[in-house]
Amino acid sequence: MKIEMAVKIIKTGMEFTEEYDIDNSLDPVKYAQNLIDRFNDSLRPNERPRELINVTVKDINSPTKTLHMWEKQNLVTQMRGGLNYDNVKCIKCGITAKRIGLTAIKRDSKYKAKIYDTCEGAIAQLEKLEKRRKNG
């Protein structure tokens, strides 16, 4: 299903919306609150905590696409060439990326193909590559 979540940055009061395609078996409010909680639990310097305002189901029949749920891998934010970044890994499919600045995610070069945009695509591709590797 497709959901839209309204979010507010607590300190500034700025509000915005984000859309996600989630599995139809998931509770949309719990899913959205989990995203906010994970973001707030991994705040970096100058990031402001957020709060969930509202969740709206936009299309219950949309095809399921699971977007990556990134988890920070390093204890201290890295700095290289004037960029601050964190190494992150998707907790569902295991692909890796860098979170640059406050929110930008750049998947590692071996995962840059469009197939890796969602967990389903990444898992299918990784299984296909593993099968090829085993068969020689």
Side-chain angles (χ1 to χ4, degrees), residues 48-70:
R48 303 286 182 236
R50 298 175 180 179
E51 70 177 341
L52 182 64
I53 299 172
N54 187 32
V55 177
T56 306
V57 175
K58 302 289 275 187
D59 182 5
I60 198 148
N61 296 318
S62 67
T64 300
K65 295 179 197 167
T66 306
L67 299 179
H68 302 291
M69 293 188 69
W70 302 110

Side-chain angles (χ1 to χ4, degrees), residues 64-115:
T64 300
K65 295 179 197 167
T66 306
L67 299 179
H68 302 291
M69 293 188 69
W70 302 110
E71 183 176 66
K72 186 175 172 179
Q73 298 295 300
N74 49 300
L75 294 175
V76 178
T77 298
Q78 307 293 306
M79 209 168 162
R80 178 184 253 172
L83 289 176
N84 294 327
Y85 67 91
D86 289 310
N87 295 311
V88 293
K89 182 176 184 178
C90 178
I91 62 173
K92 293 186 177 198
C93 67
I95 71 167
T96 55
K98 292 189 179 10
R99 182 173 63 186
I100 301 169
L102 300 177
T103 57
I105 297 288
K106 181 177 180 190
R107 292 191 308 264
D108 290 345
S109 60
K110 64 183 177 180
Y111 303 118
K112 69 180 180 179
K114 190 163 182 61
I115 190 84

Side-chain angles (χ1 to χ4, degrees), residues 39 96 117:
F39 177 83
T96 55
D117 285 353

Side-chain angles (χ1 to χ4, degrees), residues 119-130:
C119 284
E120 288 85 5
I123 290 168
Q125 182 67 8
L126 292 170
E127 287 173 353
K128 181 178 169 184
L129 292 173
E130 181 64 20

Side-chain angles (χ1 to χ4, degrees), residues 19-66:
E19 285 191 1
Y20 294 93
D21 289 319
I22 68 170
D23 190 282
N24 289 341
S25 66
L26 296 174
D27 179 317
V29 175
K30 285 182 182 176
Y31 180 89
Q33 188 61 56
N34 183 43
L35 283 177
I36 297 298
D37 291 344
R38 291 179 60 77
F39 177 83
N40 289 340
D41 289 343
S42 64
L43 290 176
R44 298 185 343 219
N46 300 320
E47 284 183 325
R48 303 286 182 236
R50 298 175 180 179
E51 70 177 341
L52 182 64
I53 299 172
N54 187 32
V55 177
T56 306
V57 175
K58 302 289 275 187
D59 182 5
I60 198 148
N61 296 318
S62 67
T64 300
K65 295 179 197 167
T66 306

